[in-house]
Amino acid sequence: MRWSKSLIPTLKEDPADAEAISHRLMVRAGLVRQLAAGIYVYLPLGQRVMDKVNAIIREEINAIGGQEITMPVLHPAELWQQSGRWDAIGDEMFRLKDRYQRDLCLGMTHEEVIAWMAAHEVHSYRDLPQLWYQIQTKERDEARPKSGVLRTREFVMKDSYSLDRDMAGLDAQYEAHRQAYCKIFDRSGLRYIVVESDPGMMGGAGSHEFMAQSPAGEDQVALCGSCGYAANLELALSRPPAPPFPPPSAGLEEVPTPNARTIAEVSALLKIEPALTIKSLVVVGKDGPALALVRGDQQLRERKLERVLGPFRPAHGDEVRDAVGVEAGFVGPVGLRIRIIADECLRTGCYVVGANKPDAHLRGVVPGRDFQAEFADLHEANAGDGCGRCGAPLTIERVIEVGNIFKLGIKYSVPLRAVYLDEQGQERPIVMGSYGIGPARIAAAAIEQNHDKDGIIWPDTIAPLQIHLLVVNAKEPKMATLAEQLYADMNGAGLEVLYDDRDERPGVKFKDADLLGLPLRVTVGSRAVKEGRVEIRRRRTGEEVAVAPGEVVTSAQRLLGRPA
Ligand code: ATP
Ligand code: MG
């Protein structure tokens, strides 16, 4: 690839709107351009990275028996109505009508189409198991497209779907995917962790996420260095350290707390730690108002409450007054007649809570004695909390979700009538699994994890090309001739070379080479002409060797770990 004839529009400055490092570097290195919010063009070098990542994915999914297909982006509404997701999914789904006013949507994911296919093409137990996959565009009207290609409204996904007779079959294909995913992320040069996750809108019997560590990530995971527990913060279990509780009270004491509404105000006024208070949150679920309780120093994790209560929202001011008889700030669980769900760590201790009267709180409240509640894990795990499994201290890390695997079970096969006949001629629902990977997130996560102040440092396996051939002065005939020769030699040997043959100042060219971050830079400068030495430099380490022109190919192959 000759730079002078290619579209590689590098930029000196960071784009104004970009925060994530991968976003800045992908734009500056001329890999992508934003067409509109969350909609990107992949330029030639960006496309090459995607091709590399997709090739790795294809090899590993083929190796576990995947059969590649392509399903449409445009879907009839009926399939999504049958699964129930036409109504269950909100604004994230792009919907449209055709000329006959029929409802259609753009595919966010393809469980429905797979179940439709299975309903038509799978008849008997002899047709199972199956593993179908595609590398296809998805459309999602994300609420907050951001961080460049990490969260876009149009993106490519590798999605595979397993079809089995029973849970044992699903377990086997699930495990095969887990291992294939590890190979894919290892080969892509990512640091990642596999965590338990919340099946969310997919539903089903279990799921894991593959998380690449990066401050640009939108997800957080809790990790235990002692027992290896790793879980998305949406469901991570932890045991917060207990505060120094006062001796058990004989009874309740009402204390005046004029204008002290927040936990901070109440604990300051009463001169106690926030952990000795209880936060009472009135919410409205489908069965009406309910009270959620977490310790004063803890945060409620909404997804955790949603798993107990179903969809809910915070109550409005008048709803709080109707349900409790007092305004927010003085609400507490004692004497209330609505459903109360309390965080697990409130099973023990003695607390200050709202008195359900204006300007007053109750001291000495013992859960279980002074009020009854359902207990559930509601609080967000914090760094330093005890691991929910072994008690050792947890750490919290920010991560990018690069892939996930779900045991769907029969959630889609039942409504879409994807069934097979077993040996006895009995009709049974097909047991499904679904497995996603975002190639753009792999590329961006690789940049997040591999860069320096000068630019990208690509892992060899997913670099757009392997070698950056740089001629210091393209107008100097001897240099140009030698560079041309090396370009031909390396191409002939099957190496992937970007040849910077531009008539640009050397400083500009060296800066661009660091920005693009190809694994090896081969420099043809005056030393090459005078001494017959060509420099080969590793982008990652800065190590440099000088070799004779005739040795460039073999040296490069050796450095790239490729036998000649
Ligand atoms: P997130 O929680 O980050 O929104 P998700 O759970 O919605 O992701 P899935 O629907 O399971 O993701 O999609 C499978 C994979 O597709 C994800 O692991 C991720 O790599 C990728 N992906 C999902 N949404 C996007 C997006 N908006 N932009 C780019 N890649 C995405
Ligand atoms: Mg999503």
Side-chain angles (χ1 to χ4, degrees):
M1 189 170 184
R2 273 175 203 277
W3 192 314
S4 64
K5 299 202 164 43
S6 307
L7 175 61
I8 310 174
T10 55
L11 303 174
K12 285 200 192 65
E13 304 294 331
D14 282 336
D17 56 338
E19 272 175 38
I21 284 158
S22 56
H23 185 190
R24 298 208 299 257
L25 289 175
M26 286 179 91
V27 173
R28 282 191 52 208
L31 303 179
V32 297
R33 286 293 181 263
Q34 182 179 308
L35 175 64
I39 308 179
Y40 279 82
V41 178
Y42 283 81
L43 303 181
L45 292 188
Q47 184 59 42
R48 290 184 71 104
V49 173
M50 294 296 274
D51 290 345
K52 292 258 171 105
V53 172
N54 290 340
I56 292 173
I57 294 174
R58 266 199 186 89
E59 278 179 32
E60 297 300 341
I61 301 299
N62 288 343
I64 59 168
Q67 306 167 72
E68 187 166 359
I69 61 175
T70 301
M71 290 176 276
V73 173
L74 200 53
H75 298 182
E78 287 76 19
L79 291 184
W80 290 79
Q81 285 158 352
Q82 282 167 38
S83 74
R85 289 208 285 187
W86 182 262
D87 293 321
I89 293 175
D91 293 338
E92 211 179 326
M93 188 189 278
F94 282 107
R95 299 163 208 252
L96 65 160
K97 285 190 191 291
D98 69 10
R99 62 177 73 205
Y100 305 109
Q101 298 305 306
R102 281 187 287 236
D103 285 315
L104 299 160
C105 66
L106 301 182
M108 310 177 50
T109 174
H110 283 74
E111 283 78 14
E112 279 78 359
V113 180
I114 288 284
W116 173 89
M117 289 232 303
H120 287 82
E121 309 306 335
V122 173
H123 308 290
S124 110
Y125 68 93
R126 285 188 211 90
D127 302 328
L128 294 171
Q130 293 284 338
L131 174 54
W132 300 334
Y133 81 98
Q134 63 176 351
I135 297 180
Q136 168 66 307
T137 300
K138 304 282 188 263
E139 307 284 349
R140 294 184 184 180
D141 199 356
E142 296 278 356
R144 277 173 295 279
K146 62 176 214 179
S147 309
V149 302
L150 284 170
R151 183 172 298 283
T152 54
R153 296 195 295 166
E154 174 170 298
F155 60 97
V156 168
M157 191 197 292
K158 184 291 297 173
D159 42 332
S160 31
Y161 303 88
S162 61
L163 307 177
D164 280 280
R165 304 173 54 170
D166 50 26
M167 283 306 282
L170 170 60
D171 288 346
Q173 296 224 56
Y174 188 86
E175 177 56 21
H177 270 89
R178 201 184 57 72
Q179 291 181 20
Y181 273 37
C182 289
K183 289 186 185 157
I184 290 166
F185 299 125
D186 285 340
R187 287 181 62 186
S188 304
L190 291 191
R191 278 186 296 114
Y192 63 95
I193 35 190
V194 188
V195 305
E196 278 177 47
S197 73
D198 177 358
M201 76 160 184
M202 293 290 183
S207 62
H208 285 86
E209 288 167 323
F210 292 75
M211 303 297 214
Q213 290 99 319
S214 159
E218 289 184 50
D219 280 285
Q220 285 176 290
V221 295
L223 302 170
C224 175
S226 178
C227 75
Y229 177 70
N232 195 313
L233 220 51
E234 297 287 13
L235 53 66
L237 299 175
S238 82
R239 297 184 223 152
F245 290 115
S249 61
L252 305 182
E253 180 197 349
E254 190 177 310
V255 283
T257 51
N259 287 322
R261 289 183 170 78
T262 64
I263 296 291
E265 287 162 354
V266 173
S267 44
L269 182 74
L270 302 180
K271 300 195 172 50
I272 54 169
E273 286 184 30
L276 295 173
T277 69
I278 292 179
K279 220 182 258 180
S280 303
L281 302 141
V282 185
V283 299
V284 181
K286 54 183 188 315
D287 303 323
L291 190 68
L293 305 179
V294 291
R295 214 169 72 185
D297 63 327
Q298 305 276 314
Q299 297 301 322
L300 172 82
R301 193 76 193 185
E302 289 181 9
R303 287 285 304 140
K304 292 184 170 184
L305 182 58
E306 200 177 293
R307 273 196 295 276
V308 182
L309 209 55
F312 73 90
R313 59 171 174 79
H316 305 312
D318 49 339
E319 289 168 326
V320 175
R321 273 189 299 276
D322 288 350
V324 187
V326 73
E327 64 178 298
F330 303 103
V331 174
V334 178
L336 272 200
R337 299 187 151 259
I338 57 177
R339 185 173 176 190
I340 301 177
I341 304 152
D343 181 54
E344 288 290 350
C345 79
L346 299 176
R347 280 183 190 273
T348 52
C350 179
Y351 301 90
V352 169
V353 306
N356 296 329
K357 318 181 166 169
D359 297 324
H361 278 73
L362 295 176
R363 204 187 336 234
V365 174
V366 176
R369 182 191 74 183
D370 300 319
F371 67 89
Q372 299 304 317
E374 298 164 48
F375 287 93
D377 173 65
L378 298 182
H379 72 273
E380 180 173 290
N382 281 305
D385 285 0
C387 165
R389 209 195 268 163
C390 77
L394 290 175
T395 55
I396 308 286
E397 281 211 55
R398 228 167 228 294
V399 292
I400 297 167
E401 179 199 316
V402 285
N404 56 31
I405 54 180
F406 293 97
K407 290 186 185 177
L408 298 175
I410 57 172
K411 181 172 166 173
Y412 297 91
S413 36
V414 168
L416 286 141
R417 298 215 30 78
V419 296
Y420 71 97
L421 297 179
D422 68 11
E423 283 97 330
Q424 282 74 45
Q426 272 263 308
E427 202 176 86
R428 298 193 179 281
I430 295 171
V431 179
M432 288 176 54
S434 118
Y435 316 86
I437 285 186
R441 283 200 189 167
I442 294 183
I447 295 175
E448 293 288 338
Q449 294 182 349
N450 299 278
H451 67 270
D452 62 15
K453 65 176 192 347
D454 299 318
I456 303 170
I457 305 176
W458 284 111
D460 292 4
T461 46
I462 65 169
L465 299 105
Q466 299 165 311
I467 294 172
H468 197 118
L469 172 62
L470 192 154
V471 57
V472 171
N473 183 355
K475 287 237 173 87
E476 216 281 299
K478 280 196 181 130
M479 264 189 222
T481 310
L482 178 56
E484 287 290 336
Q485 184 59 48
L486 290 175
Y487 182 51
D489 291 349
M490 288 192 280
N491 276 328
L495 291 165
E496 299 167 5
V497 186
L498 172 63
Y499 174 23
D500 189 352
D501 59 341
R502 291 176 301 169
D503 179 20
E504 275 284 1
R505 282 184 290 115
V508 171
K509 292 178 140 187
F510 284 115
K511 268 203 155 46
D512 273 345
D514 281 344
L515 176 60
L516 294 193
L518 305 191
L520 297 181
R521 188 186 75 201
V522 174
T523 307
V524 179
S526 52
R527 208 176 153 202
V529 177
K530 288 191 201 126
E531 301 168 30
R533 305 304 276 174
V534 176
E535 280 149 18
I536 308 182
R537 181 175 182 270
R538 254 209 173 282
R539 172 68 178 90
R540 187 173 293 276
T541 58
E543 282 166 274
E544 218 166 77
V545 289
V547 301
E551 288 166 14
V552 167
V553 167
T554 46
S555 297
Q557 280 170 331
R558 188 165 30 78
L559 286 166
L560 291 167
R562 284 186 20 162

mmCIF file of all heavy atoms in Angstrom, residues 333-352:
data_model
loop_
_atom_site.group_PDB
_atom_site.id
_atom_site.type_symbol
_atom_site.label_atom_id
_atom_site.label_comp_id
_atom_site.label_asym_id
_atom_site.label_seq_id
_atom_site.Cartn_x
_atom_site.Cartn_y
_atom_site.Cartn_z
ATOM 1 N N PRO A 333 -39.113 2.931 57.437
ATOM 2 C CA PRO A 333 -39.882 1.695 57.319
ATOM 3 C C PRO A 333 -40.809 1.384 58.500
ATOM 4 O O PRO A 333 -41.691 0.535 58.367
ATOM 5 C CB PRO A 333 -38.790 0.621 57.229
ATOM 6 C CG PRO A 333 -37.628 1.208 57.981
ATOM 7 C CD PRO A 333 -37.688 2.688 57.761
ATOM 8 N N VAL A 334 -40.622 2.069 59.627
ATOM 9 C CA VAL A 334 -41.371 1.659 60.829
ATOM 10 C C VAL A 334 -42.842 2.068 60.699
ATOM 11 O O VAL A 334 -43.149 3.228 60.439
ATOM 12 C CB VAL A 334 -40.750 2.297 62.101
ATOM 13 C CG1 VAL A 334 -41.555 1.907 63.345
ATOM 14 C CG2 VAL A 334 -39.292 1.871 62.243
ATOM 15 N N GLY A 335 -43.721 1.066 60.830
ATOM 16 C CA GLY A 335 -45.158 1.322 60.794
ATOM 17 C C GLY A 335 -45.743 1.465 59.396
ATOM 18 O O GLY A 335 -46.923 1.726 59.245
ATOM 19 N N LEU A 336 -44.919 1.263 58.363
ATOM 20 C CA LEU A 336 -45.443 1.418 56.996
ATOM 21 C C LEU A 336 -46.164 0.165 56.539
ATOM 22 O O LEU A 336 -45.805 -0.945 56.918
ATOM 23 C CB LEU A 336 -44.301 1.689 56.020
ATOM 24 C CG LEU A 336 -43.880 3.127 55.815
ATOM 25 C CD1 LEU A 336 -43.122 3.234 54.498
ATOM 26 C CD2 LEU A 336 -45.078 4.063 55.799
ATOM 27 N N ARG A 337 -47.192 0.365 55.672
ATOM 28 C CA ARG A 337 -47.973 -0.792 55.249
ATOM 29 C C ARG A 337 -47.699 -1.177 53.795
ATOM 30 O O ARG A 337 -48.378 -2.032 53.250
ATOM 31 C CB ARG A 337 -49.464 -0.509 55.448
ATOM 32 C CG ARG A 337 -49.739 -0.256 56.895
ATOM 33 C CD ARG A 337 -51.206 -0.128 57.193
ATOM 34 N NE ARG A 337 -51.425 -0.560 58.560
ATOM 35 C CZ ARG A 337 -51.898 -1.755 58.885
ATOM 36 N NH1 ARG A 337 -52.229 -2.616 57.957
ATOM 37 N NH2 ARG A 337 -52.049 -2.081 60.159
ATOM 38 N N ILE A 338 -46.714 -0.518 53.145
ATOM 39 C CA ILE A 338 -46.403 -0.912 51.762
ATOM 40 C C ILE A 338 -45.300 -1.973 51.772
ATOM 41 O O ILE A 338 -44.684 -2.239 52.806
ATOM 42 C CB ILE A 338 -45.978 0.297 50.895
ATOM 43 C CG1 ILE A 338 -44.769 1.009 51.505
ATOM 44 C CG2 ILE A 338 -47.153 1.257 50.721
ATOM 45 C CD1 ILE A 338 -44.260 2.166 50.664
ATOM 46 N N ARG A 339 -45.084 -2.580 50.585
ATOM 47 C CA ARG A 339 -44.060 -3.615 50.467
ATOM 48 C C ARG A 339 -42.685 -3.011 50.767
ATOM 49 O O ARG A 339 -42.335 -1.949 50.243
ATOM 50 C CB ARG A 339 -44.091 -4.153 49.033
ATOM 51 C CG ARG A 339 -43.168 -5.314 48.806
ATOM 52 C CD ARG A 339 -43.372 -5.903 47.420
ATOM 53 N NE ARG A 339 -42.400 -6.967 47.208
ATOM 54 C CZ ARG A 339 -42.180 -7.546 46.032
ATOM 55 N NH1 ARG A 339 -42.861 -7.173 44.966
ATOM 56 N NH2 ARG A 339 -41.291 -8.512 45.932
ATOM 57 N N ILE A 340 -41.898 -3.678 51.622
ATOM 58 C CA ILE A 340 -40.574 -3.165 51.979
ATOM 59 C C ILE A 340 -39.515 -4.196 51.582
ATOM 60 O O ILE A 340 -39.613 -5.367 51.953
ATOM 61 C CB ILE A 340 -40.470 -2.895 53.497
ATOM 62 C CG1 ILE A 340 -41.543 -1.876 53.922
ATOM 63 C CG2 ILE A 340 -39.075 -2.386 53.864
ATOM 64 C CD1 ILE A 340 -41.571 -1.595 55.419
ATOM 65 N N ILE A 341 -38.543 -3.740 50.819
ATOM 66 C CA ILE A 341 -37.433 -4.612 50.424
ATOM 67 C C ILE A 341 -36.157 -3.989 50.981
ATOM 68 O O ILE A 341 -35.838 -2.839 50.676
ATOM 69 C CB ILE A 341 -37.341 -4.739 48.897
ATOM 70 C CG1 ILE A 341 -38.694 -5.245 48.354
ATOM 71 C CG2 ILE A 341 -36.231 -5.687 48.479
ATOM 72 C CD1 ILE A 341 -38.975 -4.798 46.965
ATOM 73 N N ALA A 342 -35.446 -4.759 51.827
ATOM 74 C CA ALA A 342 -34.265 -4.224 52.503
ATOM 75 C C ALA A 342 -33.020 -4.952 52.027
ATOM 76 O O ALA A 342 -33.048 -6.155 51.766
ATOM 77 C CB ALA A 342 -34.413 -4.398 54.015
ATOM 78 N N ASP A 343 -31.944 -4.203 51.930
ATOM 79 C CA ASP A 343 -30.680 -4.811 51.531
ATOM 80 C C ASP A 343 -30.216 -5.821 52.577
ATOM 81 O O ASP A 343 -30.414 -5.632 53.778
ATOM 82 C CB ASP A 343 -29.619 -3.728 51.350
ATOM 83 C CG ASP A 343 -28.301 -4.322 50.903
ATOM 84 O OD1 ASP A 343 -28.307 -5.040 49.885
ATOM 85 O OD2 ASP A 343 -27.282 -4.103 51.578
ATOM 86 N N GLU A 344 -29.568 -6.877 52.086
ATOM 87 C CA GLU A 344 -29.078 -7.965 52.945
ATOM 88 C C GLU A 344 -28.290 -7.467 54.160
ATOM 89 O O GLU A 344 -28.386 -8.032 55.243
ATOM 90 C CB GLU A 344 -28.159 -8.892 52.152
ATOM 91 C CG GLU A 344 -28.857 -9.772 51.128
ATOM 92 C CD GLU A 344 -29.714 -10.848 51.766
ATOM 93 O OE1 GLU A 344 -29.634 -11.038 53.004
ATOM 94 O OE2 GLU A 344 -30.490 -11.491 51.028
ATOM 95 N N CYS A 345 -27.479 -6.406 53.964
ATOM 96 C CA CYS A 345 -26.599 -6.039 55.079
ATOM 97 C C CYS A 345 -27.375 -5.352 56.200
ATOM 98 O O CYS A 345 -26.819 -5.081 57.262
ATOM 99 C CB CYS A 345 -25.367 -5.258 54.619
ATOM 100 S SG CYS A 345 -25.660 -3.555 54.293
ATOM 101 N N LEU A 346 -28.689 -5.117 56.004
ATOM 102 C CA LEU A 346 -29.503 -4.546 57.084
ATOM 103 C C LEU A 346 -30.097 -5.627 57.994
ATOM 104 O O LEU A 346 -30.878 -5.321 58.891
ATOM 105 C CB LEU A 346 -30.626 -3.682 56.497
ATOM 106 C CG LEU A 346 -30.147 -2.485 55.667
ATOM 107 C CD1 LEU A 346 -31.323 -1.748 55.058
ATOM 108 C CD2 LEU A 346 -29.325 -1.537 56.550
ATOM 109 N N ARG A 347 -29.742 -6.870 57.752
ATOM 110 C CA ARG A 347 -30.259 -7.945 58.615
ATOM 111 C C ARG A 347 -29.784 -7.767 60.053
ATOM 112 O O ARG A 347 -30.435 -8.199 60.989
ATOM 113 C CB ARG A 347 -29.797 -9.317 58.118
ATOM 114 C CG ARG A 347 -30.605 -9.856 56.956
ATOM 115 C CD ARG A 347 -30.115 -11.247 56.600
ATOM 116 N NE ARG A 347 -30.693 -11.713 55.348
ATOM 117 C CZ ARG A 347 -31.857 -12.349 55.247
ATOM 118 N NH1 ARG A 347 -32.576 -12.586 56.323
ATOM 119 N NH2 ARG A 347 -32.292 -12.748 54.073
ATOM 120 N N THR A 348 -28.616 -7.146 60.212
ATOM 121 C CA THR A 348 -28.120 -6.916 61.572
ATOM 122 C C THR A 348 -27.893 -5.426 61.788
ATOM 123 O O THR A 348 -27.775 -4.672 60.825
ATOM 124 C CB THR A 348 -26.763 -7.622 61.787
ATOM 125 O OG1 THR A 348 -25.888 -7.215 60.728
ATOM 126 C CG2 THR A 348 -26.889 -9.126 61.780
ATOM 127 N N GLY A 349 -27.836 -5.014 63.055
ATOM 128 C CA GLY A 349 -27.494 -3.640 63.377
ATOM 129 C C GLY A 349 -28.658 -2.849 63.946
ATOM 130 O O GLY A 349 -29.765 -3.365 64.128
ATOM 131 N N CYS A 350 -28.368 -1.611 64.248
ATOM 132 C CA CYS A 350 -29.300 -0.728 64.934
ATOM 133 C C CYS A 350 -29.116 0.653 64.302
ATOM 134 O O CYS A 350 -27.985 1.143 64.234
ATOM 135 C CB CYS A 350 -28.914 -0.729 66.415
ATOM 136 S SG CYS A 350 -29.941 0.329 67.400
ATOM 137 N N TYR A 351 -30.191 1.250 63.786
ATOM 138 C CA TYR A 351 -30.045 2.376 62.860
ATOM 139 C C TYR A 351 -30.934 3.561 63.207
ATOM 140 O O TYR A 351 -31.891 3.449 63.972
ATOM 141 C CB TYR A 351 -30.408 1.912 61.442
ATOM 142 C CG TYR A 351 -29.559 0.785 60.929
ATOM 143 C CD1 TYR A 351 -29.937 -0.544 61.136
ATOM 144 C CD2 TYR A 351 -28.372 1.039 60.242
ATOM 145 C CE1 TYR A 351 -29.165 -1.586 60.671
ATOM 146 C CE2 TYR A 351 -27.590 -0.003 59.766
ATOM 147 C CZ TYR A 351 -27.985 -1.311 59.973
ATOM 148 O OH TYR A 351 -27.225 -2.336 59.518
ATOM 149 N N VAL A 352 -30.622 4.678 62.518
ATOM 150 C CA VAL A 352 -31.495 5.853 62.503
ATOM 151 C C VAL A 352 -32.268 5.832 61.187
ATOM 152 O O VAL A 352 -31.661 5.634 60.126
ATOM 153 C CB VAL A 352 -30.665 7.149 62.620
ATOM 154 C CG1 VAL A 352 -31.532 8.371 62.328
ATOM 155 C CG2 VAL A 352 -30.030 7.248 64.002
#
